[in-house]
Amino acid sequence: MKRFLIAAMAFLCCTGICFASGKAPKAPKQPDREVVYQTNLHCKSCAAKIQDNIAFEKGVKDLEIQVDEKTVRVVYNPAKTDSQKLAEAIRDLGYTAEIISDKEL
Amino acid sequence: MAIHRTLFRTIYSSLALFAGLAFTAKAQQIDTTGIYGERQDTLSASVFTAQRAGNYLSKLGDNRTEVISAAGLCKMACCNLAESFENSASVTVGYSDAVTGARQIRLLGQNGIYTQMLDENRPVMRGLNAPFGLNYVPGQWLESIQIAKGVTSVINGVESMTGQINMEHRKPTDEKPLFVQASAMNDSKCDLNIASSLQLDEMEKWSTVILAHLSGNFAEHDMNADGFKDDPSQRTMALANRWLYYAPSGLQVRFGLSAVADSRLGGQVESLGNGRWMADVTNRSIDGYVKVGVPLNETNSQNIAFVLDITDQQMQSRYGNRMFNPLMPVTSSPALMPAGIGYRFYNANQQSLFFNSLYQNELNESHKFTLGLSALADWYSDVLTSDCYTTTAMNDLGVFGEYTFHRSDVLSVITGLRADLYGFDKFRFSPRLTVKYMPEEHWVFRANAGRGIRYSNPLIDNFGVLSSSKPVNARELGHPLEESWTAGANVTWYLPFDKKEKTYLSLDWFNTTFSEQVLVGYYADRIDFSLLSAAPGARSYTNNLQLDFSTEPVRGFTATLTARLTDPRQNLPCQSDDIKPMTSLYKGVLNLQYATRLSRWIFDFTASVNGPCRVWDFMKGIEIDGKEYYTDGYTDVYPLLYAQVTRRFKGFDIYLGGENLTGYTQPCPIIDADTPFGTGFDASCVWGPLMGVKLYAGIRMTIWKKE
């Protein structure tokens, strides 16, 4: 039993060391960006559709839709997506998406 | 009766023609959403964040209106409409009896029969559909529910005495070609709901939504070991198809069909053999409707609308120990039933017709009026055990007018007057007044008052009495009119520091006083129905006070606290005081929700404290575990806890939750459960939960329409 425990500990240590040494150096984290799109959405159903889909796009961290102004504000991680990909995702839902602003936070 | 049925069939078959004619109306470049359009009703309809409000008070409503949104309907299992009110203090949901699973709501301390139920502004759940109607509307079919307190518009009649609950279903215009929800509970209850909204042409003139529901349970439970199932074995199937035609001219036609079939078997557990006591209820209903809105000028300041709704319902129920034979016609001889105590038999048919026509004219921004004619008819035929088979027609022809004065957003005054001819011989005027005053953006004051009138249906309105062995004289009264006056006021203060108006404090008070009402009195040896007017000096009224507080202290975390006090009074000869029996005197609800930034995780927690009810005097002598249980004449105060965790993914959500986590159940909900064929047997004195802890898991899947 004692031998088994020693062997298990050794295995865990070796695995940990291997993982640690094999890990690539972490790239400096890019600040999040905020993009605002002008769209042709016109009602709360449109807002719900954009909300339920864009919230689950890769890299999206926050989302706000203004029905009156027909705008969609998205905060995203630029390492995972970009404003063009997000615009395409909005267009796939059947709406126009023109970038009004795209800035670092 | 034959004439009525012929008329019914003729009107039913002309639905298509009626809709067809509407399409030929002259095209005009206008919009008709003013009449029977979708409600613009959210806290702030213009800003959507990833977190959505669940329950909230509408700032826009002229009446004090609580909205349960689509997000609110996902906070709990909400398998059906009854369960959708669990986190509302305004509405209390209870069981009519302990054997059939029939549910009833209470608003302002009064039975749900005094609350008008609307399906997108059409009166529904009337008559035979009232006892089980709440079970037949799947929560997942709904987009939102609005609960308006006090008297409301006269346009849909004056049956709303304590308030109005309007259900908004999933829309044909929703861009969701497929929605599927499935859930299962640890008590073996399973639910499946499917919805499909389809837009059929490029211009989206034609759209339709198909809604389907299937539910049932497969095991029986008897947690309190009284020999009776806690929930009946049941199978429910519902199907609906709704259509919308929206012309560029502004003409709107909405029509649809729905059907429900439900069978349930409650009573003693099967292991007790063939001689056991059973409650066997089968319901079938079919409903068809057409709504047409026609603009009369280019600005839509003048328009007309028509609504036609036709329903056919059947209920067949048997209490005793013989299984119900579904092939038995409604007019079957009661002699087929074994005679004796503990046996009952109630079969009924109902055909209903509702017609409403409206003319609306918005003279300018300040003045608007609506004029209309309406007709409501119910044809009942029913038989109760050894009573005679009877048929009854209840008619209401009405003419109404409503004037609305607006002074920008500051003041709204709505005055309405209806004149109704009931049964061609009783004439009634019903005035109503609603005032909303918003002196500045953070304060809203509301007040309303008016008369309510409805035909009573003593047996169906008190469906629980059928699960009692005691003699019932409900049918001797016929269908008298019940009449009440309701007045109330509300003040809501939106705290100025919260720009999103999610922090508010609201206080409301309502009084409902009956001038005529069917009274139900429970004695040890009988259940006695009588009229309020027949007892000189008798009074029946409730006062209701409610405080609501809601806030979002940090983004994603919302807390809502509600407290309600009810003072229900009713003079009954069977009671030693005037406190209305079986009505909870207070309720407190705390609802907490936390949603992560993109609502990928949602945590919901609801706790409620349910106040005591005055019991029937005859219940004071009931012994539980050898002791008199209701010595002070009141029921227990009990807590209820609900919790749910939802994980959302792209296109689907999964959720896990629990109901009644404290496990509290009403002790001995069935009186004389050991002798169901004895004279004292009564399963209708229910005031608390019948099932202990329930755990459930479910999945919701949505496919959105893509470009």
PDB file of all heavy atoms in Angstrom, chain B residues 457-468:
ATOM      1  N   ASN B 457     -72.332  30.035 -11.301  1.00  0.00           N
ATOM      2  CA  ASN B 457     -72.557  28.639 -11.662  1.00  0.00           C
ATOM      3  C   ASN B 457     -72.207  27.852 -10.403  1.00  0.00           C
ATOM      4  O   ASN B 457     -71.091  27.315 -10.279  1.00  0.00           O
ATOM      5  CB  ASN B 457     -71.639  28.270 -12.831  1.00  0.00           C
ATOM      6  CG  ASN B 457     -72.092  27.004 -13.499  1.00  0.00           C
ATOM      7  OD1 ASN B 457     -72.799  26.197 -12.893  1.00  0.00           O
ATOM      8  ND2 ASN B 457     -71.696  26.823 -14.737  1.00  0.00           N
ATOM      9  N   PRO B 458     -73.105  27.839  -9.415  1.00  0.00           N
ATOM     10  CA  PRO B 458     -72.723  27.447  -8.056  1.00  0.00           C
ATOM     11  C   PRO B 458     -71.930  26.145  -7.951  1.00  0.00           C
ATOM     12  O   PRO B 458     -70.952  26.074  -7.206  1.00  0.00           O
ATOM     13  CB  PRO B 458     -74.069  27.333  -7.338  1.00  0.00           C
ATOM     14  CG  PRO B 458     -74.944  28.303  -8.050  1.00  0.00           C
ATOM     15  CD  PRO B 458     -74.521  28.226  -9.482  1.00  0.00           C
ATOM     16  N   LEU B 459     -72.297  25.148  -8.714  1.00  0.00           N
ATOM     17  CA  LEU B 459     -71.604  23.871  -8.581  1.00  0.00           C
ATOM     18  C   LEU B 459     -70.201  23.928  -9.181  1.00  0.00           C
ATOM     19  O   LEU B 459     -69.217  23.515  -8.559  1.00  0.00           O
ATOM     20  CB  LEU B 459     -72.426  22.761  -9.252  1.00  0.00           C
ATOM     21  CG  LEU B 459     -72.006  21.350  -8.903  1.00  0.00           C
ATOM     22  CD1 LEU B 459     -72.117  21.085  -7.417  1.00  0.00           C
ATOM     23  CD2 LEU B 459     -72.848  20.347  -9.675  1.00  0.00           C
ATOM     24  N   ILE B 460     -70.101  24.453 -10.386  1.00  0.00           N
ATOM     25  CA  ILE B 460     -68.797  24.519 -11.051  1.00  0.00           C
ATOM     26  C   ILE B 460     -67.885  25.529 -10.355  1.00  0.00           C
ATOM     27  O   ILE B 460     -66.683  25.316 -10.231  1.00  0.00           O
ATOM     28  CB  ILE B 460     -68.995  24.883 -12.540  1.00  0.00           C
ATOM     29  CG1 ILE B 460     -69.671  23.716 -13.264  1.00  0.00           C
ATOM     30  CG2 ILE B 460     -67.694  25.223 -13.218  1.00  0.00           C
ATOM     31  CD1 ILE B 460     -68.867  22.444 -13.283  1.00  0.00           C
ATOM     32  N   ASP B 461     -68.464  26.643  -9.898  1.00  0.00           N
ATOM     33  CA  ASP B 461     -67.645  27.643  -9.206  1.00  0.00           C
ATOM     34  C   ASP B 461     -67.060  27.084  -7.917  1.00  0.00           C
ATOM     35  O   ASP B 461     -66.065  27.594  -7.394  1.00  0.00           O
ATOM     36  CB  ASP B 461     -68.490  28.878  -8.847  1.00  0.00           C
ATOM     37  CG  ASP B 461     -68.938  29.647 -10.078  1.00  0.00           C
ATOM     38  OD1 ASP B 461     -68.405  29.369 -11.158  1.00  0.00           O
ATOM     39  OD2 ASP B 461     -69.828  30.517  -9.949  1.00  0.00           O
ATOM     40  N   ASN B 462     -67.700  26.063  -7.368  1.00  0.00           N
ATOM     41  CA  ASN B 462     -67.218  25.441  -6.124  1.00  0.00           C
ATOM     42  C   ASN B 462     -67.041  23.946  -6.379  1.00  0.00           C
ATOM     43  O   ASN B 462     -67.628  23.102  -5.716  1.00  0.00           O
ATOM     44  CB  ASN B 462     -68.232  25.684  -4.999  1.00  0.00           C
ATOM     45  CG  ASN B 462     -68.430  27.163  -4.755  1.00  0.00           C
ATOM     46  OD1 ASN B 462     -67.620  27.795  -4.091  1.00  0.00           O
ATOM     47  ND2 ASN B 462     -69.479  27.723  -5.339  1.00  0.00           N
ATOM     48  N   PHE B 463     -66.228  23.670  -7.381  1.00  0.00           N
ATOM     49  CA  PHE B 463     -66.088  22.315  -7.898  1.00  0.00           C
ATOM     50  C   PHE B 463     -65.679  21.311  -6.820  1.00  0.00           C
ATOM     51  O   PHE B 463     -66.039  20.142  -6.863  1.00  0.00           O
ATOM     52  CB  PHE B 463     -65.040  22.333  -9.017  1.00  0.00           C
ATOM     53  CG  PHE B 463     -64.917  21.047  -9.749  1.00  0.00           C
ATOM     54  CD1 PHE B 463     -65.854  20.682 -10.701  1.00  0.00           C
ATOM     55  CD2 PHE B 463     -63.873  20.181  -9.487  1.00  0.00           C
ATOM     56  CE1 PHE B 463     -65.746  19.487 -11.378  1.00  0.00           C
ATOM     57  CE2 PHE B 463     -63.757  18.979 -10.157  1.00  0.00           C
ATOM     58  CZ  PHE B 463     -64.698  18.632 -11.107  1.00  0.00           C
ATOM     59  N   GLY B 464     -64.932  21.796  -5.827  1.00  0.00           N
ATOM     60  CA  GLY B 464     -64.435  20.912  -4.774  1.00  0.00           C
ATOM     61  C   GLY B 464     -65.545  20.189  -4.024  1.00  0.00           C
ATOM     62  O   GLY B 464     -65.323  19.083  -3.515  1.00  0.00           O
ATOM     63  N   VAL B 465     -66.740  20.769  -3.954  1.00  0.00           N
ATOM     64  CA  VAL B 465     -67.802  20.143  -3.158  1.00  0.00           C
ATOM     65  C   VAL B 465     -68.184  18.764  -3.685  1.00  0.00           C
ATOM     66  O   VAL B 465     -68.736  17.949  -2.960  1.00  0.00           O
ATOM     67  CB  VAL B 465     -69.074  21.027  -3.063  1.00  0.00           C
ATOM     68  CG1 VAL B 465     -68.764  22.368  -2.440  1.00  0.00           C
ATOM     69  CG2 VAL B 465     -69.743  21.188  -4.420  1.00  0.00           C
ATOM     70  N   LEU B 466     -67.862  18.502  -4.956  1.00  0.00           N
ATOM     71  CA  LEU B 466     -68.181  17.186  -5.504  1.00  0.00           C
ATOM     72  C   LEU B 466     -67.370  16.079  -4.838  1.00  0.00           C
ATOM     73  O   LEU B 466     -67.780  14.921  -4.828  1.00  0.00           O
ATOM     74  CB  LEU B 466     -67.936  17.177  -7.023  1.00  0.00           C
ATOM     75  CG  LEU B 466     -68.925  17.998  -7.861  1.00  0.00           C
ATOM     76  CD1 LEU B 466     -68.430  18.136  -9.278  1.00  0.00           C
ATOM     77  CD2 LEU B 466     -70.307  17.366  -7.838  1.00  0.00           C
ATOM     78  N   SER B 467     -66.216  16.418  -4.290  1.00  0.00           N
ATOM     79  CA  SER B 467     -65.413  15.386  -3.626  1.00  0.00           C
ATOM     80  C   SER B 467     -65.716  15.332  -2.129  1.00  0.00           C
ATOM     81  O   SER B 467     -64.813  15.209  -1.313  1.00  0.00           O
ATOM     82  CB  SER B 467     -63.926  15.602  -3.847  1.00  0.00           C
ATOM     83  OG  SER B 467     -63.645  16.758  -4.457  1.00  0.00           O
ATOM     84  N   SER B 468     -66.979  15.458  -1.831  1.00  0.00           N
ATOM     85  CA  SER B 468     -67.409  15.335  -0.453  1.00  0.00           C
ATOM     86  C   SER B 468     -68.646  14.432  -0.429  1.00  0.00           C
ATOM     87  O   SER B 468     -69.406  14.391  -1.391  1.00  0.00           O
ATOM     88  CB  SER B 468     -67.760  16.739   0.075  1.00  0.00           C
ATOM     89  OG  SER B 468     -68.589  16.645   1.190  1.00  0.00           O
TER      90      SER B 468
END
